[in-house]
Amino acid sequence: MSRLLRLVTVLAVLALVAAGCGGSEPAADPLADPFEEVERATPDPDAEVRSAPRWEQILTLSGDGSDSAEFPIPEDALQWRVIYSCESGDLRVEVDAADEPLVDTACPASEQAFSIDTGFLELDIEGSGPWEVTVEQQVDSVHEEPPLDGMEAAEVVAEGQFAGVERSGAGTATLYRMPDGSLALRFTDFQTVASPDLFVWVSEQPEPTTSAAVFEAEYVDLGEITATLGDQNYRLPDGVTPEQVASIVIWCAPLQIAYAAAPMSPTP
């Protein structure tokens, strides 16, 4: 992909993020009643399915002098960034593929710097005071998170299949009791509309077929969804019981609607 095309792609991604939950299906009118029926689009079976853009950490370095690191950025990455902070002196961060320093600043400072270069890159850091640098890449590929440690030997407590509520949804949600007694969720073959600002709710609503039904029930917010496409894990907070996990809901915060939900059935 050329630098120009990659830059256009990044700008399109930023526009999507700014728009909130919308994705490739029609977004609800933000001034309308969020509990009214929402028109759904028919997915294009020939379209390539991508996840909503997400940031993945590659490495973190810290020091008070010079350091370097090598790391790969795949061709299909949308962009990558350096998140840096420094306390005193100066900080300079260079990438071997770039003509100009990615970071060249007086400290104290705490900022981000972005790049669309790909390939096997080398980062060179020069600091005259304490600093910390984190490298993250933004991707929209399938997320392939492995099971949590101990999950393969854990007890399966409940399971459910995702289906669309106001948007489309597919995949399996499985509730595990981990060896230490805690509860954890795993999504496999999961998919919903590629949108930002989606959150995972553990809901006490046994029939999450409408946004209104979900909204009226008690829930526990597990935080922002890891990815809208692929396998992922979530740990439940202490104090949550299996009886409270009647369904798993993918909730759009800006529009206040349920994208998808999985009613959970206890395993025999």
Side-chain angles (χ1 to χ4, degrees):
M1 184 182 295
S2 69
R3 286 184 63 89
L4 178 59
L5 181 55
R6 287 178 56 76
L7 181 58
V8 170
T9 301
V10 169
L11 292 175
V13 167
L14 293 176
L16 172 62
V17 171
C21 304
S24 58
E25 296 185 17
D29 181 349
L31 301 180
D33 183 349
F35 299 143
E36 290 182 355
E37 184 176 354
V38 178
E39 180 183 357
R40 300 179 189 172
T42 301
D44 182 355
D46 298 324
E48 182 181 10
V49 179
R50 308 297 293 180
S51 172
R54 65 184 184 277
W55 289 102
E56 295 181 342
Q57 183 172 312
I58 297 176
L59 59 86
T60 296
L61 299 171
S62 60
D64 57 4
S66 302
D67 204 349
S68 63
E70 295 181 333
F71 55 94
I73 298 294
E75 287 289 335
D76 60 354
L78 299 173
Q79 59 180 330
W80 61 276
R81 65 184 177 186
V82 166
I83 304 171
Y84 64 91
S85 62
C86 56
E87 298 179 14
S88 59
D90 298 298
L91 180 65
R92 184 180 177 93
V93 180
E94 295 183 322
V95 183
D96 58 353
D99 296 329
E100 299 291 334
L102 197 59
V103 177
D104 191 1
T105 185
C107 304
S110 181
E111 289 290 344
Q112 303 178 59
F114 296 83
S115 175
I116 57 174
D117 291 317
T118 62
F120 205 75
L121 305 176
E122 182 176 353
L123 201 68
D124 293 312
I125 305 169
E126 292 281 348
S128 56
W131 53 263
E132 181 171 291
V133 167
T134 297
V135 177
E136 296 181 340
Q137 65 179 359
Q138 189 180 45
V139 296
D140 61 358
S141 55
V142 177
H143 190 58
E144 298 178 342
E145 185 176 0
L148 295 171
D149 289 342
M151 187 170 271
E152 293 181 354
E155 174 192 1
V156 176
V157 178
E159 193 169 80
Q161 300 298 314
F162 279 102
V165 180
E166 309 289 5
R167 300 290 188 268
S168 59
T172 302
T174 305
L175 178 66
Y176 292 90
R177 189 183 303 279
M178 302 295 285
D180 63 1
S182 64
L183 296 176
L185 276 171
R186 179 164 173 81
F187 296 176
T188 52
D189 299 323
F190 173 75
Q191 181 180 336
T192 190
V193 177
S195 302
D197 300 319
L198 297 180
F199 292 79
V200 179
W201 284 9
V202 169
S203 174
E204 295 187 24
Q205 173 56 253
E207 298 182 2
T209 55
T210 67
S211 294
V214 171
F215 192 78
E216 292 166 359
E218 296 293 324
Y219 68 91
V220 175
D221 188 344
L222 300 185
E224 194 164 3
I225 197 168
T226 303
T228 59
L229 182 65
D231 302 342
Q232 51 208 278
N233 306 305
Y234 300 89
R235 290 190 179 273
L236 275 61
D238 293 340
V240 176
T241 66
E243 290 72 26
Q244 292 174 268
V245 189
S247 61
I248 306 300
V249 176
I250 309 303
W251 186 260
C252 170
L255 298 183
Q256 293 290 286
I257 60 174
Y259 261 42
M264 301 296 285
S265 300
T267 55

